[in-house]
């Protein structure tokens, strides 16, 4: 259902697109900006390695775990309403972050900021899906992908410059400005719409999923400090498994599930979800790990570190739009599979350069990774919306975005833990029983504290251990990305299964399951 008190004009649609693009650009700015500013934030606010890890993971956790709920709320109570409410919350807590006095409050505000981001993103993308159809919708989503790329490309260098000039709190002011522009344009030009068949939020599903993701993230982040055999870690990981099982059971019994599990019967839908998760370990984790390496470990200043990241994220400025144009000649499965394969090549290439390499030598492999991930980036959102009925665009956006963002949060936690373990294993006997503590500090870019734990080791030995661990991690990411490229190509390329067929069969299956439960 739409509010047709004012019809959408071509100019009005463009303003809606621009509003969503501003919101989309703000999300990566707050993500990459915190990564670039983490060493400065650590110096100002202090905090343990796990508290510093939560500075990035708290945002990703709440963002990823509430996206499906936000999508369901948008379908039920109005996409414009959720979009504007989310922007307001996002801007409010972004302002609060600039005045945080200690790392605990910073982490809490990051979590609250993520909730607002989820509402803004789900509501905005669902609203956009109502304004454009067919090829125009695919192009619109490609432009949003490019806007996200602008935030990723210029976020590190802009954040580095603002930190150098005004201090780390300044990185949140640009985010607030973009959110304000999106809020004003959205209030004026976005038309209210909702799903007339929506039945409200699946609260049991939302709470069980959020609790499961929280337990998993907490357990993975705590493991490097306490050990994988620590009772708390075991309890949290076991709780995550049980809560995910409970979430699955809940979604199978409700009439209008937040996550329609019947869709996972279809390879093309599964392929889209794998595609959503792929950038997490092929690209996004590098947005956090590389600034920490460049600034905290290799000693670059924030501006130089941000400049290096342009090679990685710069291709997202134009290639997502180009990918949309390439669909005239190539199937999406071919474009997406080839892009992930290119990213795998770049990851392996980057693994050949140890810590201390000449910075210019890293540009080509970073550019290769960025080019590869940009090709599927521009198609992912459009593909996600295409596999469900238009009326449930909020659910489609929520499922896809949850897979992507929750995957990024979990991947970041897992990759951080793996890098810590690999670094610890490569420090040698000289580190003694302090190897784990040293590795945790190196992973967060705190070279000075790491050296202080075992002064006899020397900085060169610490850098060598970290470098070997980083290279081993990149080999692992290469293998996972290459495998994903093959699976995505095969699943998305399945013939005889149109988006309409998937949507219709999924709806019929859901109705049949509901009737079976009633009898």
């Amino acid at each position: 259902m739409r509010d047709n008190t004012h019809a959408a004009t071509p100019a009005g649609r463009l303003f809606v697109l621009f509003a969503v693009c501003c919101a989309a650009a703000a999300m990566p700015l707050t993500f990459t900006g915190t990564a670039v500013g983490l060493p400065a934030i650590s110096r100002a606010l202090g905090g343990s390695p796990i508290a510093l890890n939560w500075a990035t993971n708290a945002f990703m956790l709440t963002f990823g775990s509430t996206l499906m709920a936000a999508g369901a709320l948008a379908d039920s109570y109005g996409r414009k309403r959720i979009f504007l409410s989310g922007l307001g919350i996002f801007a409010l807590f972004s302002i609060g972050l600039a005045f945080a006095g200690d790392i605990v409050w910073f982490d809490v505000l990051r979590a609250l900021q993520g909730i607002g981001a989820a509402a803004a993103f789900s509501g905005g993308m669902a609203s956009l899906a109502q304004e454009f159809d067919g090829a125009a919708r695919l192009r619109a989503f490609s432009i949003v992908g490019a806007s996200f790329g602008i935030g990723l490309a210029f976020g590190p260098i802009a954040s580095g410059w603002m930190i150098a000039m005004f201090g780390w709190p300044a990185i949140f002011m640009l985010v607030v400005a973009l959110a304000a522009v999106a809020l004003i344009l959205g209030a004026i030009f976005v038309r209210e719409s909702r799903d007339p068949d929506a039945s409200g939020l699946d609260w049991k599903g939302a709470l069980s999923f959020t609790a499961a993701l929280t337990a998993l993230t907490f357990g993975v982040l705590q493991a490097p400090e306490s050990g994988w055999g620590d009772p708390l870690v075991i309890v949290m990981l076991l709780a995550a498994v049980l809560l995910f099982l409970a979430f699955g059971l809940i979604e199978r019994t409700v009439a209008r599930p937040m996550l329609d599990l019947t869709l996972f019967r279809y390879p093309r839908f599964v392929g889209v979800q794998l595609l959503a998760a792929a950038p997490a370990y092929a690209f996004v984790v590098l947005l956090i790990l590389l600034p920490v390496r460049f600034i905290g470990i290799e000693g670059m200043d924030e501006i130089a570190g941000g400049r290096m990241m342009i090679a990685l994220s710069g291709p997202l400025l134009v290639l997502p739009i180009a990918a949309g144009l390439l669909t005239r000649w190539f199937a999406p499965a071919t474009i997406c599979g080839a892009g992930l394969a290119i990213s795998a090549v770049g990851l392996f290439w980057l693994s050949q350069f140890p810590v201390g390499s000449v910075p210019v030598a890293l540009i080509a492999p970073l550019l290769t990774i960025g080019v590869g991930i940009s090709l599927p980036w521009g198609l992912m959102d459009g593909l996600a919306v295409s596999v469900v009925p238009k009326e449930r665009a909020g659910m489609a956006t929520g499922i896809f975005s949850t897979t992507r963002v929750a995957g990024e949060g979990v991947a970041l936690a897992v990759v951080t833990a793996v890098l810590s373990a690999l670094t610890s294993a490569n420090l040698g006997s000289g580190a003694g029983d302090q190897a784990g503590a040293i590795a945790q500090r190196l992973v967060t870019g705190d070279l000075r504290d790491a050296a202080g734990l075992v002064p006899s080791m020397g900085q060169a030995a610490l850098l060598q251990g970290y470098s070997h661990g980083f290279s081993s991690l990149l080999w692992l990411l290469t293998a996972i990305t290459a495998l994903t490229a093959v699976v995505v190509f095969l699943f998305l390329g399945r013939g005889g299964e149109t988006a309409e067929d998937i949507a219709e069969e999924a709806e019929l299956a859901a109705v049949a399951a509901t009737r079976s439960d009633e009898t």
Side-chain angles (χ1 to χ4, degrees):
M1 182 183 71
R2 294 185 183 180
D3 178 1
N4 290 314
T5 54
H6 58 283
T9 64
R13 290 192 181 97
L14 289 178
F15 279 116
V16 172
L17 177 59
F18 187 69
V20 177
C21 285
C22 286
M27 308 303 169
L29 274 175
T30 192
F31 183 62
T32 58
T34 303
V36 172
L38 193 59
I41 292 169
S42 174
R43 291 192 297 269
L45 303 182
S48 64
I50 191 171
L52 292 171
N53 281 329
W54 276 112
T56 51
N57 279 282
F59 177 84
M60 300 304 297
L61 172 63
T62 55
F63 189 14
S65 64
T66 57
L67 273 168
M68 279 195 295
L73 286 172
D75 284 339
S76 298
Y77 300 108
R79 289 145 186 154
K80 177 177 181 177
R81 179 180 299 174
I82 297 301
F83 178 53
L84 298 182
S85 299
L87 284 171
I89 294 170
F90 179 74
L92 177 65
F93 290 114
S94 296
I95 294 172
L97 281 162
F99 298 96
D102 60 69
I103 193 65
V104 174
W105 274 111
F106 187 90
D107 291 346
V108 170
L109 290 170
R110 284 284 283 168
L112 295 171
Q113 186 191 37
I115 295 173
F121 191 82
S122 291
M125 296 296 273
S127 295
L128 195 63
Q130 308 305 309
E131 299 292 343
F132 296 91
D133 293 297
R137 183 192 294 175
L138 184 60
R139 288 192 296 270
F141 278 104
S142 296
I143 293 171
V144 174
S147 301
F148 205 91
I150 291 173
L152 289 176
F154 291 108
I157 186 64
S159 299
W161 181 82
M162 286 188 287
I163 292 169
M165 297 299 295
F166 307 109
W168 66 263
I171 61 179
F172 297 105
M173 293 300 102
L174 181 56
V175 170
V176 172
L178 285 170
V181 172
L183 186 64
I184 293 170
L185 292 177
I188 297 173
F189 293 102
V190 173
R191 296 185 296 165
E192 187 61 279
S193 63
R194 57 178 57 87
D195 179 1
D197 298 322
S199 57
L201 178 61
D202 171 18
W203 286 105
K204 293 180 180 179
L207 292 174
S208 59
F209 182 79
T210 301
L213 203 60
T214 301
L216 177 61
T217 305
F218 185 89
V220 172
L221 287 179
Q222 188 68 35
E225 180 174 313
S226 303
W228 290 98
D230 181 74
L232 177 61
V233 173
I234 294 174
V235 167
M236 295 305 293
L237 296 179
L238 180 61
V241 173
L242 295 176
L243 286 165
F244 275 125
L245 290 175
F247 171 70
L249 292 174
I250 290 168
E251 296 306 284
R252 290 176 65 88
T253 58
V254 296
R256 292 283 287 184
M258 186 174 64
L259 172 60
D260 189 350
L261 296 174
T262 61
L263 291 170
F264 285 92
R265 299 175 183 177
Y266 307 101
R268 287 189 67 236
F269 183 82
V270 175
V272 168
Q273 306 315 310
L274 290 174
L275 183 62
Y281 43 81
F283 175 75
V284 174
V285 294
L286 298 180
L287 297 176
I288 300 298
L289 298 181
L290 287 176
V292 171
R293 169 176 164 172
F294 293 150
I295 299 169
I297 302 298
E298 301 197 42
M300 297 183 186
D301 61 37
E302 285 83 2
I303 295 177
R307 191 183 299 122
M308 286 292 296
M309 297 300 293
I310 292 179
L312 179 66
S313 52
L316 285 171
L317 291 172
V318 293
L319 287 185
I321 297 177
L325 298 176
L326 286 174
T327 56
R328 298 177 181 178
W329 301 282
F330 301 99
T334 302
I335 297 171
C336 295
L340 293 177
I342 292 170
S343 290
V345 171
L347 287 165
F348 180 76
W349 192 358
L350 183 62
S351 72
Q352 306 305 301
F353 296 95
V355 170
S357 298
V358 178
V360 70
L362 304 180
I363 292 176
L366 291 175
L367 191 63
T368 302
I369 297 170
V371 167
I373 211 65
S374 296
L375 293 176
W377 196 285
L379 305 179
M380 292 190 295
D381 292 288
L383 288 170
V385 175
S386 72
V387 296
V388 297
K390 181 178 179 180
E391 290 75 16
R392 300 204 71 189
M395 184 203 71
T397 302
I399 294 174
F400 175 79
S401 300
T402 296
T403 302
R404 179 164 61 184
V405 180
E408 290 168 359
V410 172
L412 181 57
V414 171
V415 165
T416 300
V418 170
L419 178 57
S420 180
L422 291 172
T423 301
S424 177
N426 281 282
L427 287 174
S429 58
D433 59 1
Q434 293 292 319
I438 292 172
Q440 289 179 66
R441 282 158 178 78
L442 290 174
V443 168
T444 57
D446 196 344
L447 180 59
R448 184 181 61 184
D449 277 8
L453 291 175
V454 184
S456 60
M457 278 196 68
Q459 194 173 101
L462 297 177
L463 293 177
Q464 185 180 36
Y466 174 85
S467 181
H468 289 329
F470 205 99
S471 293
S472 298
L473 174 66
L474 290 173
W475 295 339
L476 178 61
L477 297 180
T478 298
I480 297 173
T481 303
L483 178 61
T484 306
V486 175
V487 176
V488 164
F489 175 75
L490 294 176
F491 279 26
L492 288 183
R494 287 286 293 264
E497 190 179 68
T498 67
E500 291 76 14
D501 292 336
I502 294 174
E504 182 178 355
E505 291 180 39
E507 290 290 309
L508 291 174
V511 171
T514 301
R515 288 176 179 172
S516 176
D517 292 335
E518 290 175 351
T519 58

